[in-house]
Amino acid sequence: MRIVLLGPPGSGKGTQAALLKERLDVPHISTGELLRAAVRDQTSLGMKAKAAMDAGELVSDELVLGLIEERMGAADVQSGYLLDGYPRNLSQARALDDVLGRLDLPVEKALALTVDEEQIVTRLARRAEEEGRSDDTEEVVRNRLAVYREQTAPVAGYYADKRLLVEVDGMGSIEEINQRLMAALS
Ligand code: ADP
């Protein structure tokens, strides 16, 4: 299966991606994780990306596209993929179609997790305590949510126009949500 997973920060997207990866046996490709690894390793890309990440802004399309092109070209992606955190705006969605078209690995389904904002703020506050992510302070979280609303939410419409979008209720237990996602794929 070739899947794009959409959902606001704090929607439980990362948790569900980890479960889906096991159940579907496809690589989980998270641009957030790729970027955090680059920051940790202090690569030149990581140093360029850090300020935007710490502010809850998007890293430039160009930098992230480079990461994605490299990752999608790897052999394991032939068996399918679960893309998480990409595309995050319409121009990334179009660029992704170009890349995947060249590789002959087009998206088959876009799954969008829907959650209410109150729940998101609670979840992210908890994660801030547990993981100490530097982009989980309240102000930055607010900014990430605003960026999502303005730039990423339209990506769902992009996939809806292509008849690839399935919206899935992201409220409930981890297992419940996972079952809804699996049902949406079958
Ligand atoms: P969350 O879903 O909680 O916002 P992610 O791990 O997906 O967290 O992303 C963390 C940060 O990494 C984002 O706020 C952004 O700065 C950067 N990032 C991740 N993916 C992209 C992308 N596709 N384009 C631009 N920036 C990105």
Side-chain angles (χ1 to χ4, degrees):
M1 267 315 253
R2 296 186 297 271
I3 303 163
V4 164
L5 190 58
L6 302 170
S11 62
K13 193 164 47 77
T15 304
Q16 293 299 331
L19 288 172
L20 286 176
K21 165 200 149 81
E22 294 304 322
R23 300 207 175 163
L24 301 171
D25 197 26
V26 292
H28 169 209
I29 299 172
S30 156
T31 46
E33 277 173 24
L34 292 172
L35 287 166
R36 281 190 289 280
V39 170
R40 241 183 346 259
D41 298 345
Q42 299 190 315
T43 68
S44 78
L45 185 146
M47 317 244 241
K48 287 183 199 144
K50 188 175 188 318
M53 293 172 75
D54 283 345
E57 300 289 342
L58 295 185
V59 174
S60 80
D61 288 348
E62 194 193 336
L63 283 185
V64 186
L65 183 59
L67 274 180
I68 275 291
E69 281 185 301
E70 189 184 328
R71 185 63 187 87
M72 300 315 279
D76 62 342
V77 175
Q78 290 292 326
S79 66
Y81 52 78
L82 180 62
L83 258 179
D84 165 10
Y86 195 92
R88 249 195 173 73
N89 59 32
L90 288 174
S91 105
Q92 292 185 4
R94 293 187 198 103
L96 179 65
D97 274 350
D98 283 349
V99 171
L100 297 176
R102 281 200 297 275
L103 294 167
D104 202 20
L105 296 170
V107 173
E108 294 175 293
K109 199 140 274 184
L111 298 175
L113 280 174
T114 57
V115 286
D116 73 52
E117 284 215 5
E118 276 311 300
Q119 175 112 13
I120 286 178
V121 173
T122 313
R123 283 182 182 175
L124 288 176
R126 198 176 333 140
R127 187 168 80 187
E129 279 176 28
E130 286 166 8
E131 295 179 11
R133 252 175 66 168
S134 61
D135 60 352
D136 266 350
T137 66
E138 190 176 332
E139 192 193 342
V140 175
V141 163
R142 250 187 248 292
N143 199 26
R144 295 220 313 277
L145 286 169
V147 167
Y148 186 86
R149 228 181 285 117
E150 287 156 24
Q151 301 190 50
T152 311
V155 173
Y158 178 88
Y159 289 111
D161 287 347
K162 293 176 178 285
R163 301 281 177 270
L164 298 178
L165 183 73
V166 185
E167 289 190 303
V168 174
D169 180 4
M171 309 291 291
S173 71
I174 289 173
E175 185 54 33
E176 264 163 14
I177 298 164
N178 182 252
Q179 274 166 14
R180 285 181 207 139
L181 289 167
M182 292 299 287
L185 289 172
S186 63

